[in-house]
Amino acid sequence: ILFFRISKKRDLNMRQKIGESRSKFRDNHALMSPDSHERTNLPNWPGSELVIVIAPQMGAKFSQFFAHMPAGSIAHPPLEGMERFIFVLDGEVELSIEGSIHKLQEEGYAFLPNDRNYQIKAQIDTRLIVLERPFVQLEGQPAPKLHVANAKKLTAVPMKGDDMLMLKKLIPENLTYDCEFNIMDFSPGASLPYVETHFMEHGLLFLNGGGIYRLDDCWYPVEKGDIIWMGPYCPQWFGAIGRSNARYLIYKNWNRDPHAF
């Protein structure tokens, strides 16, 4: 095992030295692997380092990024009109909003409606995955509510009756919400039941395990830490490979007419 780990590290170093990366970018999809991460800063995340992996510049209608927050650092709300979803990968943050304080630990998460005043403070060194998007109001519906929970405490259900593919829905499904966040959990050998093709777009993070992901006519080996962007009408399929479950966190726009996006 030690030899394998050393060999894998040497292989990674060699690939980087000769200018190779698993990251791939196409017109309607992208795979961002950790070997090409570039850290940057933003004004509303003082003291933190961000890795912006999905952004409008690549054709997406949302942004997604890793936030590396040192202990004591504070994050502020996004730009006007933007809603935000945060998910704790490791560490702990304190969310202060509307006179309440919520502590989010590993796999704790929060859906934060647009134009709310709040702050996110790292209690220890913390790593988040964050998604931001313009909120799309539905006429006749109230604004969505703050939603805070922990994915570890949710009950998974079989997707389309397949108990080898389990699903956790992270936010309410009612019409006030214009998006959806789920965790999909594949047993070894499980796969999506068919190739999906639809008008929604996705942002996806592998939490555990790996396998093969089809995007358009490309087939990619994927593993923990990989990010995928799938644009509208990108044919997509995944099959889990290995001895452990493959889990990913996935976003899509939802509950709105295609003309609204």
Side-chain angles (χ1 to χ4, degrees):
I1 295 174
L2 178 60
F3 174 77
F4 172 76
R5 288 176 178 171
I6 293 173
S7 299
K8 186 175 181 180
K9 183 176 181 180
R10 286 177 177 172
D11 178 64
L12 174 60
N13 290 339
M14 180 59 68
R15 287 192 290 109
Q16 290 177 334
K17 285 181 179 179
I18 61 175
E20 291 187 354
S21 169
R22 290 194 303 110
S23 294
K24 303 293 181 183
F25 296 86
R26 300 292 184 264
D27 288 343
N28 204 33
H29 74 261
L31 167 67
M32 174 71 86
S33 62
D35 60 22
S36 63
H37 283 184
E38 177 70 15
R39 296 194 181 194
T40 189
N41 309 103
L42 286 179
N44 54 348
W45 293 83
S48 296
E49 293 185 323
L50 311 182
V51 179
I52 301 175
V53 286
I54 300 176
Q57 285 77 5
M58 68 167 54
K61 294 184 178 180
F62 64 96
S63 65
Q64 189 167 343
F65 54 89
F66 293 99
H68 299 259
M69 302 183 70
S73 60
I74 293 175
H76 303 288
L79 299 178
E80 183 179 355
M82 304 291 287
E83 56 193 4
R84 175 187 280 171
F85 176 86
I86 64 172
F87 185 95
V88 179
L89 298 172
D90 49 70
E92 180 181 343
V93 296
E94 185 178 89
L95 170 64
S96 300
I97 182 170
E98 299 172 349
S100 299
I101 296 177
H102 305 269
K103 292 187 181 296
L104 280 66
Q105 298 175 324
E106 184 179 350
E107 299 210 0
Y109 63 90
F111 173 85
L112 297 157
N114 60 296
D115 304 328
R116 305 288 179 87
N117 188 27
Y118 57 85
Q119 72 172 27
I120 303 164
K121 183 176 182 180
Q123 302 301 292
I124 56 177
D125 288 355
T126 298
R127 191 166 57 103
L128 308 175
I129 186 72
V130 183
L131 189 143
E132 296 176 352
R133 64 187 302 278
F135 172 59
V136 180
Q137 180 76 46
L138 182 63
E139 185 177 356
Q141 292 292 327
K145 296 181 179 179
L146 167 73
H147 186 77
V148 180
N150 189 294
K152 292 182 178 181
K153 298 180 180 180
L154 301 180
T155 300
V157 297
M159 180 175 171
K160 299 184 183 298
D162 184 354
D163 62 3
M164 292 185 68
L165 174 49
M166 302 299 288
L167 173 68
K168 290 183 178 181
K169 291 185 174 288
L170 302 190
I171 65 173
E173 297 183 80
N174 66 64
L175 291 175
T176 63
Y177 296 88
D178 62 351
C179 55
E180 186 173 89
F181 296 89
N182 300 325
I183 290 179
M184 300 182 68
D185 189 342
F186 296 75
S187 296
S191 69
L192 290 173
Y194 54 87
V195 178
E196 296 184 14
T197 310
H198 48 62
F199 79 89
M200 290 85 73
E201 63 176 338
H202 290 302
L204 180 155
L205 166 65
F206 269 88
L207 299 171
N208 303 99
I212 298 295
Y213 224 109
R214 177 193 170 173
L215 302 169
D216 288 319
D217 292 326
C218 302
W219 300 75
Y220 299 104
V222 288
E223 61 187 31
K224 179 180 178 179
D226 285 348
I227 289 279
I228 292 175
W229 169 61
M230 290 170 265
Y233 291 101
C234 172
Q236 56 197 254
W237 177 90
F238 174 69
I241 296 176
R243 296 190 177 186
S244 61
N245 283 28
R247 288 196 313 147
Y248 55 69
L249 171 68
I250 185 167
Y251 148 83
K252 69 178 176 182
N253 47 303
W254 191 240
N255 276 337
R256 298 295 185 268
D257 190 282
H259 295 287
F261 296 104

